[in-house]
Amino acid sequence: MRLLLPLDCCEALSNVDYSKVDPSIMSPLLDYVDVTDSRFVAALLCIAFNPLFWNLVGRWEHKTRSLTHVFRSPYMACYCLGAVIVTLNFLRSHCFTEAIKRQPKLTFLDCLFGYYTSLAIMVVGTVFVTSSFLALGFVGTFLGDYFGILKEAKVTSFPFNILDNPMYWGSTTIYLGWSIMHASPAGLVLTAAVALCYAVALHYEGPFTEEIYRQKALKSK
């Protein structure tokens, strides 16, 4: 039996022969997506920053209760953070739209079928986002549990009985529809970035939230 020695974080990458990488496989993508465009870069930065921001602030608040002390109420602190997150999401959507305006279009999507398909996709995403917000409420949507405002039971009504984290995936679906409506491959790339950032965020949010409710259950015994 062969023993494998553990590698350092990026040690395995040192064994890759980058001279054999064929850059031509990227050329079809680069024909449609200008990754050097300043607006595209700004959109990517907004996409990456938003979930990072609310996760870091949420964990900091859970650990220190600093915002609760400043606003003298966990509810007021949560409302203010929620307002900041909403503002950041509007900024992200603005940067997303501005980025795809200056990028090339896919001709086969720039048609009536593509338009109506995008509308249908955006309607589905909007239903998931709206119904998720109504089921959770403002506080539940914007990290209320990180402020110590915990629900009595897990929400299992629509849309949570269909998929987990419908707010995130509904938002991603809206961006997908918006990209198709603009026949924008750059928009599709940015949508993939949104999905990736949400997936990474959920990797940390899920266990952290479960631990919050596990501690609550232990205290109630």
Side-chain angles (χ1 to χ4, degrees), residues 29 33 35 40 44 47 96 179 184-195:
L29 176 63
V33 182
V35 297
F40 183 86
L44 273 179
I47 289 168
F96 188 105
S179 300
S184 174
L188 297 177
V189 172
L190 291 174
T191 299
V194 171

Side-chain angles (χ1 to χ4, degrees), residues 11-80:
E11 184 180 342
L13 297 178
S14 63
N15 297 321
V16 178
D17 185 359
Y18 293 100
S19 65
K20 295 183 179 179
V21 176
D22 183 8
S24 64
I25 62 175
M26 294 294 293
S27 59
L29 176 63
L30 296 177
D31 288 342
Y32 288 99
V33 182
D34 181 7
V35 297
T36 63
D37 180 72
S38 60
R39 297 188 185 186
F40 183 86
V41 174
L44 273 179
L45 290 175
C46 285
I47 289 168
F49 175 77
N50 284 14
L52 177 65
F53 168 79
W54 67 63
N55 272 282
L56 290 178
V57 173
R59 288 181 179 233
W60 172 66
E61 167 61 19
H62 181 262
K63 182 178 181 180
T64 66
R65 292 290 185 257
S66 296
L67 293 177
T68 296
H69 293 321
V70 169
F71 292 98
R72 300 188 177 184
S73 164
Y75 286 92
M76 283 301 301
C78 184
Y79 293 148
C80 289

Side-chain angles (χ1 to χ4, degrees), residues 199-219:
V200 172
L202 289 171
H203 178 73
Y204 294 97
E205 286 180 20
F208 190 77
T209 304
E210 289 176 5
E211 178 61 20
I212 291 175
Y213 280 92
R214 189 186 71 83
Q215 292 178 5
K216 176 196 174 186
L218 290 175
K219 290 179 181 178

Side-chain angles (χ1 to χ4, degrees), residues 5-13 15:
L5 296 177
L7 294 175
D8 193 12
C9 173
C10 299
E11 184 180 342
L13 297 178
N15 297 321

Side-chain angles (χ1 to χ4, degrees), residues 23 58 85 103 112 116 134 146 167 169 188 201:
I85 292 174
Q103 298 278 347
L112 201 59
Y116 285 114
L134 293 175
Y146 288 58
M167 179 70 74
W169 302 127
L188 297 177

